[in-house]
Amino acid sequence: MSGSKWSSPGSPSHYAIALKEVEGWDLPEQGPWDRGQYQRWLDFAHNHARNESTEDAPVRPNAVEAAMFRKGRAIYRKRRAAGG
């Protein structure tokens, strides 16, 4: 289904918030997003993991995704606490 959209269940994506705020990506914080955008997120995690890994300390892509999600959640909570 080439025209399908990935969507968020009614709330902003913490991952999208982090990519926008920390990495400067131009994307909406709430879906729907197309499949290409989702693939771009996965590519970011894989590339970041590859670039940060060492032989003694490998970094997994899912660890990058989890860290970005937590950062986005922290940003979201701070905004809500400030009334935003």
Side-chain angles (χ1 to χ4, degrees):
M1 298 181 2
S2 61
S4 296
K5 300 277 186 182
W6 294 83
S7 62
S8 175
S11 63
S13 164
H14 299 311
Y15 196 59
I17 290 169
L19 288 171
K20 185 174 182 175
E21 295 294 323
V22 176
E23 297 296 322
W25 287 26
D26 182 23
L27 75 158
E29 293 179 356
Q30 186 170 340
W33 303 280
D34 63 32
R35 289 178 188 255
Q37 186 63 55
Y38 183 69
Q39 185 61 51
R40 187 174 169 217
W41 296 1
L42 293 176
D43 291 344
F44 169 83
H46 282 266
N47 290 334
H48 192 75
R50 185 174 33 258
N51 292 336
E52 295 299 321
S53 289
T54 65
E55 188 174 315
D56 295 333
V59 177
R60 295 184 329 267
N62 64 334
V64 173
E65 289 184 83
M68 292 298 286
F69 179 88
R70 286 190 304 271
K71 180 65 176 175
R73 183 175 56 196
I75 293 168
Y76 179 76
R77 288 178 174 169
K78 186 174 182 180
R79 287 179 188 168
R80 298 249 341 209

